[in-house]
Amino acid sequence: MYSKTLSFLRRVLASSGRDAAAAVMGRSSAQGYCTTLKSGPGGAARTRVVDLRSDVVAKPGPAMRKAMAEAEVEYDLMGEDSTATELEELAADMFQMEAALFVPTGTMANLIAVMAHCRERDDEMIVGDLSHMHVFTQGGSAQLASVHATTATTLPDGTFDLEQLESKIHHRYPNPHHSRSRLICVENTHNIRGGRVLPLTFLQEVRALADKYGLSVHMDGARVMNAAVAQGVPPSTIVQHAHTVSLCLSKGLGAPVGAILAGPRDFIFRAARCRQALGGEMLKTGMLAAAGKLSLLQMEILEEDHRNAKTFAQALGDCDPPLFAVDTAAVETNIVCFSLREPSLSPFEFCARMGQVGAGEVAALGQGIQVHMFHYFRNIIRAVWHLGISSEDTQLAIQKMQFVASQYLRDKLRSQ
């Protein structure tokens, strides 16, 4: 059943070409789902909205909505939901892992991974100090799984210093004064570091270190498909260096909800029990799983997001006046992180200016443009490309950025 479904979907999508693939994912060559028009006086379209806050704002396209509407809805608790089973088998096949599990969110997938790897109360995991699991999950591993975390310094490219990583491993267990090192977590691509792709050599070295000391490696692969596209390799080439991996289906892949956790069969058995304990068993998931299946088959569409992000980053670097600090070489996938060179312009004020139609903007640009992004971490502003943002939308965002920069300089000169 699974192989027939997979072959059918691939034949349909291959015969339909790029335009059909875009329709499945929700992107329109003329206008993305997240680019809306607001009417001005007399009904004339006067304002365009480009939403770069996150790739989670992407919406399913017509083909995905149709697949959801027509999906079989069965009782997953008894293993009867064929669509969910097909999704899990498809994901396991793509990762070349024994089994996979469909869960509601990426955060839950990572928490379940910690719970299934670290089963004793004195177990400890090692994470990056700027990892999503450490910074943005409310300390869930400690709060809900009773697992202590120690941190390694996250380098600018998202990696760790391997000597420091090794120093974080406790070697004196079962000395009663020390916890037991069980798990190393890596994040690929790395969110706070601007969507950086972890080098395959680094992942190989982390795995060798883990094997040396009997630890497991879990990859927070919320955007691992972006990493695969950027490196031009199958996802399995990346995740072969981890024991387990999570994948978020509702980011760049465009599904409305859901995540995958993959690994050895016995691990997934324990993970399913943890999912139930956390309230993540959704019972009738066919409609959601149908969207997930389509999203997994369209990872190549992420290439356009990467190109658009690099185009915007280059425009930031070329902006006159030179208002922005951005490392264009570090923009490897769909995330652009940048800061402001001008101390008198805060990230909050810049984002506010980008998100509203300024005085004289319609006259200068021919229309109003609202670009939504936000102050992300420390002094960093983050913009994220997704299937709802086309190359045309990217040019609109560039026009708005240039307008805001010029208006800010004008206001500053007038105030002096």
Side-chain angles (χ1 to χ4, degrees), residues 143-194:
Q143 183 182 165
L144 300 173
S146 299
V147 176
H148 176 257
T150 190
T151 61
T153 302
T154 304
L155 301 178
D157 63 353
T159 66
F160 311 135
D161 177 86
L162 293 174
E163 290 185 3
Q164 186 197 54
L165 177 62
E166 186 172 16
S167 74
K168 298 290 183 175
I169 300 173
H170 292 299
H171 304 295
R172 299 180 65 185
Y173 183 87
N175 185 306
H177 297 92
H178 298 278
S179 57
R180 182 175 184 176
S181 300
R182 282 282 194 182
L183 181 65
I184 300 172
C185 299
V186 295
E187 183 179 333
N188 195 18
T189 64
H190 200 284
N191 186 10
I192 287 180
R193 288 306 193 191

Side-chain angles (χ1 to χ4, degrees), residues 22-39:
V24 168
M25 301 305 293
R27 179 183 281 128
S28 164
S29 59
Q31 178 183 316
Y33 267 89
C34 291
T35 306
T36 60
L37 291 176
K38 294 185 178 181
S39 297

Side-chain angles (χ1 to χ4, degrees), residues 311-362:
T311 297
F312 185 78
Q314 189 61 54
L316 288 172
D318 294 341
C319 182
D320 185 20
L323 188 61
F324 309 101
V326 59
D327 182 358
T328 55
V331 180
E332 298 174 331
T333 55
N334 65 321
I335 300 176
V336 179
C337 288
F338 61 97
S339 58
L340 300 168
R341 297 182 184 276
E342 182 60 58
S344 61
L345 180 61
S346 72
F348 294 103
E349 182 183 352
F350 172 77
C351 291
R353 287 176 178 241
M354 289 289 288
Q356 62 191 17
V357 178
E361 180 175 333
V362 174

Side-chain angles (χ1 to χ4, degrees), residues 122-140:
D122 60 350
D123 285 350
E124 181 178 86
M125 67 176 185
I126 304 171
V127 298
D129 63 339
L130 296 182
S131 67
H132 188 278
M133 290 177 67
H134 183 64
V135 177
F136 294 121
T137 60
Q138 210 182 101

